[in-house]
């Protein structure tokens, strides 16, 4: 029998004078230690439980995030979905988060974070007539510094999160202003202790939460409800809150929501009190540092899918204008949602069970297949209209550039029916630098071969080339940039701009001379390039500060000069350790200011890791990392850090400014280590970790157990070594990264008449500080002829004036950008209609939603 409670409304005078806002929620991992199909069912079970609690307890409020769960319920249980609608209308079912899932908040690209809100917030508005004004990522392991700018662009002014905890960060306090590099702010709240609770009495949850709170804050927010596998608040949870409230055990306890808490916090403290809250101008790290290297496959699949969908959007937008094709809005939305789902914080970090990655591979493969179909359709529509005059014995080739800036790139092309080989010319017959390479086919067909040639491509456009018979033609005029010197041996590659030299015993660089400055950022640097270490840490890397551990170098077994031609040289270095092998193929092309390295790893080790290290001969180096939509300086302290595609280390060599950047297309786990003992400063990439799947410390592995280890087998990726004169901003690193992640596409074409010229471009950002990140169809309006959306970001952290040319519509956007600012523009097809700035939801920045007043309007300034 329950003890008798005090009379309703009575509180003892000795009660603490504070209000505890009890936030009932159920964090549901749609995938983790179970497959998505189990999460699909649990969403329905959890939401029915929440509806029942709302019926039983008139004061109960349920807080819901992760829009994909609502979409699942809409698919499978219309009755439940209608019950949710009613409770939303009452204000007792509160929508937070506004994103499709709670993703990993470091590894997805900036455009992926935009789409989380684009599809999440629009779904909420379409189905429920509300949007979320509170960002909510309670379970992800870290949060990148540009999130406040993204949240504000998606009409969210506040943010709730759990990690890093008080023991993992220098962040003080519970509530604070979080400011992005562009100056955008959200009012953030670090959830004390936990976001979920056991199913019984909430006393333990409350006491642990109060023990971690900033006591100066006054009223606080405490989350409760059974989570991870769903469940939600229980009867026992709710009744214990009522009981402790009436007793005055901890203060005044009310059923509440994050929005109510934030609004009352602002009202209670007033402008002066809010101004006194601390300001955090950094990212929020570190928790589970190993998750940025666990399961190499999912990282690479996600990067590939992001690039494919951005390219598909661009070409679909172009095709909708040039050929009146219906913009494939539904196809793209489906593909994006497959990607967004697999950026969930227990899929992309590699912490789910092994079978979950079969589903992830299939879902991401579907998204890439959709993107490829869209791209191929539009490219063929354009190709059919290009004038390709007949020339006997030749093969026309159209090369398409997916980037809205000019690109000079190598194109590797397979061909047939040319037994004497080929050379390449442009549409005017000018000779293009090219050379034969090894074919991917190994057959008796003597007419089949492969060629690599240099393509100089217009921004977001195409250029026509031809393959002519024969490998050499004496004395023609060169097309484009005249070829420079290119020499190669088994230890040296050299062109007009760079000279690299390898040590034949280690297979690594002893020199990387930048001829433009005369500075060598590598000569004299000490330290191994490869570092294999025992790795006893769990899948997440709990408690890991650094993986820059002592280890063994892989043994160099062979160096072979594979290619030495007029266009590029290619040097192959083979290594081994234990049962594993790694090859690195160093490629230097004529006129290039970077070295490309193609890596193939066949990994057969368990509970080991491989670091690739890049030692430099720099004094007083500073480290800069690419993060979503921005950059961030971090200490040179060997910490394992998340990043996007590149890391730069800049200092001096003999007093002369110099730097080296490493750009890659697959990895997210880095460190920048200082000089120590007899080792130079270096950039490190964690290329492989092989922990047991879903092994969570402190659980110990059974020495007699049978386990599956990650990253067994072959993986391939590429990186660039980019030396520069001491300012990474001049090296165009974000553009290089985009180009490495999305190569031009070449297609064989036939002869025909056409109305289009041999080369054309459809959109351009000028190649300066401001970079276009998206060209797409507007989400509203007619899909047959949508207005276009253009988004761009300032990439160097300095103000800029940009000229964005959308020549496909014969329109120009001229706009000022603040440091690291993201701006989005709706460009009408009607030239009489003005270009309009919109937010990241593609609604007008004045707050209107398709002409309506915005619902869930922001209540917090900043």
């Amino acid at each position: 029998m329950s003890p008798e409670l005090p009379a309703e409304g009575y509180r003892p005078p000795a009660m603490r004078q504070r209000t505890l806002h009890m936030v009932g929620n159920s964090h549901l991992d749609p995938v983790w230690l179970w497959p998505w199909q189990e999460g699909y069912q649990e969403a329905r079970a959890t939401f029915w439980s929440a509806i029942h609690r709302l019926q039983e307890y008139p004061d109960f409020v349920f807080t819901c995030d992760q829009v994909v769960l609502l979409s699942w319920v809409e698919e499978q249980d219309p009755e439940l979905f209608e019950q949710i609608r009613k409770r939303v209308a009452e204000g007792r079912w509160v929508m937070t988060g506004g994103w499709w899932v709670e993703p990993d908040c470091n590894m997805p690209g900036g455009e992926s974070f935009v789409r989380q809100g684009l599809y999440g917030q629009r779904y909420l508005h379409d189905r429920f007539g509300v949007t979320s004004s509170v960002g909510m990522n309670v379970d992800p392991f870290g949060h990148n510094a540009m999130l406040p700018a993204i949240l504000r662009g998606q009409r969210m002014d506040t943010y709730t999160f759990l990690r890093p905890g008080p023991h993992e960060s220098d962040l003080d306090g519970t509530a604070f202003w979080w400011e992005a590099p562009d100056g955008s702010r959200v009012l953030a709240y670090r959830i004390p202790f936990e976001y979920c609770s056991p199913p019984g009495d909430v006393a333990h949850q409350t006491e642990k939460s109060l023990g971690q709170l900033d006591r100066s804050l006054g009223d606080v927010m405490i989350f409760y409800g059974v989570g991870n596998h769903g469940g939600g608040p229980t009867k026992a949870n709710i009744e214990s809150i009522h009981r402790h409230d009436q007793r005055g055990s901890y203060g005044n306890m009310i059923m509440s929501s994050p929005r109510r808490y934030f609004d009352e916090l602002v009202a209670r403290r007033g402008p002066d009190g809010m101004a006194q809250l601390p300001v955090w101008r950094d990212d929020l790290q570190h928790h589970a540092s190993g998750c940025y290297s666990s399961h190499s496959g999912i990282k690479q699949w996600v990067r590939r899918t992001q690039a494919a969908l951005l390219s598909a959007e661009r070409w679909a937008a172009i095709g909708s204008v040039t050929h009146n094709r219906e913009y494939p809005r539904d196809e793209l939305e489906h593909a994006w949602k497959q990607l967004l789902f697999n950026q969930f914080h227990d899929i992309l970090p590699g912490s789910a069970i092994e079978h979950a990655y079969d589903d992830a591979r299939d879902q991401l493969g579907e998204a890439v297949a959709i993107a490829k179909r869209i791209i191929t359709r539009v490219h063929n529509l354009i190709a059919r209209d290009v004038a390709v005059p007949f020339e006997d014995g030749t093969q026309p080739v159209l090369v398409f550039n997916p980037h809205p800036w000019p690109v000079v790139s190598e194109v590797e092309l397979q061909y047939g029916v040319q037994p004497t080989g080929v050379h390449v010319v442009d549409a005017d017959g000018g000779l293009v630098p090219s050379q034969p390479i090894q074919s991917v086919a190994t057959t008796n067909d003597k007419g089949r071969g492969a060629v690599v040639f240099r393509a100089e491509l217009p921004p977001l456009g195409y250029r026509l080339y031809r393959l002519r018979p024969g490998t050499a033609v004496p004395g023609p005029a060169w097309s484009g940039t005249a070829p420079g010197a290119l020499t190669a041996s088994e230890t040296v590659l050299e062109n007009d701009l760079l000279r690299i030299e390898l040590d034949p015993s280690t297979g690594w660089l002893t020199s990387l001379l930048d001829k433009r400055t005369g500075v060598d950022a590598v000569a004299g640097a000490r330290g191994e390039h490869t570092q294999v270490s025992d790795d006893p840490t769990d899948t997440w890397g709990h408690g890991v500060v650094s993986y820059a551990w002592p280890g063994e170098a892989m043994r160099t077994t062979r160096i072979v000069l594979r290619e030495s031609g007029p266009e590029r040289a290619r040097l192959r270095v083979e290594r081994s350790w234990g049962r594993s092998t790694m090859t690195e193929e160093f490629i230097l092309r004529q006129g290039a200011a970077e070295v490309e390295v193609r890596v193939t790893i066949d990994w057969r080790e368990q509970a080991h890791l491989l670091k690739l290290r890049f030692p430099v001969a720099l004094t007083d180096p500073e480290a800069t990392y690419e993060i979503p939509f921005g950059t961030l300086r971090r200490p040179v302290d060997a910490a394992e850090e998340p990043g996007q595609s590149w890391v730069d280390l800049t200092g001096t060599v003999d007093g002369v400014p110099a730097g080296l950047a490493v750009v890659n297309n697959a990895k997210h786990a880095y460190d920048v280590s200082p000089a120590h003992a007899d080792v130079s400063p270096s950039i490190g990439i964690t290329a492989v970790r092989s922990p047991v799947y879903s092994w969570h410390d402190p659980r110990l592995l059974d020495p007699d157990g049978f386990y599956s280890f990650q990253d067994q087998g072959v993986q391939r990726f590429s990186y660039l070594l980019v030396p520069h004169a001491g300012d990474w901003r001049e090296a165009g690193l974000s553009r290089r990264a985009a180009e490495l992640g999305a190569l031009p596409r070449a297609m064989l074409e036939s002869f025909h008449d056409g109305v289009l010229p041999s080369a054309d471009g459809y959109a351009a950002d000028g190649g300066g500080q401001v970079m276009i990140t998206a060209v797409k169809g507007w989400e509203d309006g007619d899909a047959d002829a949508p207005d276009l959306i253009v988004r761009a970001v300032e990439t160097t952290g300095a103000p800029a004036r940009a000229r964005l040319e959308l020549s496909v519509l014969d329109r120009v956007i001229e706009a000022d950008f603040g440091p690291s600012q993201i701006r989005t523009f709706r460009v009408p097809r009607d030239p009489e209609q003005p270009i309009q700035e919109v937010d990241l939801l593609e609604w007008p920045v004045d707050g209107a939603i398709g002409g309506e007043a915005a619902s869930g309007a922001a209540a917090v300034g900043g």
Side-chain angles (χ1 to χ4, degrees), residues 119-143:
Y119 293 120
Q121 291 279 54
R122 281 175 164 266
Y123 182 95
L124 294 179
H125 183 259
D126 180 65
R127 303 312 198 272
F128 302 101
V130 302
T131 55
S132 174
S133 57
V134 178
M136 184 166 166
N137 283 303
V138 300
D139 202 15
F141 312 137
H143 310 260

Side-chain angles (χ1 to χ4, degrees), residues 51-78:
I51 289 294
H52 293 153
R53 301 295 84 77
L54 288 164
Q55 293 168 346
E56 295 159 352
Y57 300 96
D59 63 335
F60 175 61
V61 177
F62 183 68
T63 292
C64 174
D65 79 330
Q66 299 202 106
V67 175
V68 69
L69 305 179
L70 295 161
S71 75
W72 284 353
V73 168
E74 183 182 22
E75 289 176 352
Q76 61 179 308
D77 196 333

Side-chain angles (χ1 to χ4, degrees), residues 583-595:
T583 64
E584 290 184 300
E585 297 201 332
F586 295 79
I587 297 174
L588 183 65
R589 64 173 175 82
Q590 58 161 284
E594 77 282 334
V595 181

Side-chain angles (χ1 to χ4, degrees), residues 80-96:
L80 173 57
F81 198 72
E82 188 57 36
Q83 287 289 328
I84 294 171
R85 283 186 198 268
K86 293 177 181 178
R87 298 304 181 178
V88 171
E90 292 175 358
R92 295 178 59 208
W93 184 294
V94 179
M95 299 299 186
T96 59

